[in-house]
Amino acid sequence: MKKNRLLSIVVPAYNEEEALPLFYEQLRDVLDELPDAYEIIFVNDGSSDKTGEIIEGFAAENASVRTVHFSRNFGHQAALSAGLQRAKGDYTISMDGDGQHPPKLIPEMIRLADSGYDIVLTQRIEPEGKSSFKKWSSETFYKILNKVSDTQTLPGGADFRLMNRESLDALIALPEFHRFLRGMVSWIGFRSVILPFEVPERLAGKTKYSLKKMVRLASDAVFSFSMLPLYIGLSAGALFFVLALIEAIYVLSFWISGRSSSLAPGWSSLMFMMLIIGAILMIIMGFIGVYVGYIFQEVKHRPVYICRTAPSEKKSSEASEASDD
Ligand code: UDP
Ligand code: MG
């Protein structure tokens, strides 16, 4: 095993004064057993309770703890991003500060990364028979998201994952403002493996994900990973166009069979104009939608592609590192 490897742990925390001390103890117990050096980055996401003081207390007694404080509550994904940007580790693990991402899985995640995976994802498995609003909404959400999006996101995926230096650098390089990290991690590619885990109860306190925050996350996910909503106009336009055609054929059939007198005067032309104008408007809106979509993709400034080190290069760099020791 390589010595002098640095492991970074990124923990976003919003009003977690009750859970943090317990979580920190669990985390320390696991990290102290590992042969690697570590740093823990706590990101205080504008908490209004004692979270800030508590993490400063950890930092005062442990030089491996670093802290970041937001000026207000910017949200979980922003807090994660801040921590990930500051992580210096060869491996970086992001996890919640409430104990729902059990620190005891860390050694297994490291083992999987050592066996050649760039990213170790985790997937929540809820205990059988337990039905909750959260579980149902999450399942429905991933089903819809994966239907409308080009990027496939792991259902039940959590922001509990390990990334090696190369994949994390690729993720950090994505500069977009609306961040749905689970989708972005899947978008950058790389070799990943899934580690399922059962979600334990919170150590203390209540969920910090209000319904409003969940809806915002879901809309960030849909609108930044799917262009489908923009194509709705175009599809509606096509539908109206088909309706206009059907109407024309219907009217024509009356003329051909010599029953044109049974048509109400003015009905056919009025109907036809309505359908055609509807179709034209919708189609034009659809075109504008497509252009907006292209503009949107451009302004996201995502790279056109991301490379990864070839396995052969990796082996040779490891060999040279070993000979340096
Ligand atoms: N969190 C955060 N900012 C927020 C909301 C949540 O940093 O605006 C943190 C929170 O402290 C926790 C993690 O994100 O460490 C996950 O939140 P929570 O446990 O409340 O979500 P749940 O597990 O209920 O989905
Ligand atoms: Mg939680």
Side-chain angles (χ1 to χ4, degrees), residues 96 98 100 202:
D96 290 353
D98 61 357
Q100 292 195 293
R202 248 179 179 276

Side-chain angles (χ1 to χ4, degrees), residues 12 14 16 45 76 96-98 100 134 202 207-208 213:
Y14 176 55
E16 295 289 4
D45 183 10
H76 183 213
D96 290 353
D98 61 357
Q100 292 195 293
K134 202 140 199 164
R202 248 179 179 276
T207 178
K208 304 298 164 338
K213 281 182 176 162

Side-chain angles (χ1 to χ4, degrees), residues 193-234:
V193 61
I194 300 162
L195 180 65
F197 75 105
E198 232 173 70
V199 190
E201 289 295 324
R202 248 179 179 276
L203 288 169
K206 283 202 291 279
T207 178
K208 304 298 164 338
Y209 252 97
S210 54
L211 189 64
K212 189 173 147 202
K213 281 182 176 162
M214 274 164 71
V215 170
R216 191 178 305 158
L217 183 71
S219 90
D220 279 350
V222 171
F223 292 112
S224 46
F225 282 93
S226 167
M227 302 253 284
L228 197 73
L230 291 171
Y231 284 93
I232 289 174
L234 210 55

Side-chain angles (χ1 to χ4, degrees), residues 5-32:
R5 192 169 57 180
L6 179 67
L7 179 67
S8 299
I9 309 286
V10 170
V11 186
Y14 176 55
N15 292 346
E16 295 289 4
E17 61 180 5
E18 289 165 276
L20 270 181
L22 299 164
F23 166 74
Y24 180 62
E25 205 181 297
Q26 283 189 353
L27 183 64
R28 280 290 294 269
D29 286 347
V30 171
L31 294 180
D32 288 339

Side-chain angles (χ1 to χ4, degrees), residues 8 25 29 32 48 65 88 110 121 141 163-164 167 190 196 234 243 275 279 294 321 325:
S8 299
E25 205 181 297
D29 286 347
D32 288 339
S48 53
V65 174
K88 299 199 190 89
I110 296 178
L121 302 168
F141 165 67
M163 301 183 78
N164 67 4
S167 58
F190 291 94
L234 210 55
L243 286 180
L275 291 170
Y294 277 69
E321 255 171 53
D325 285 348

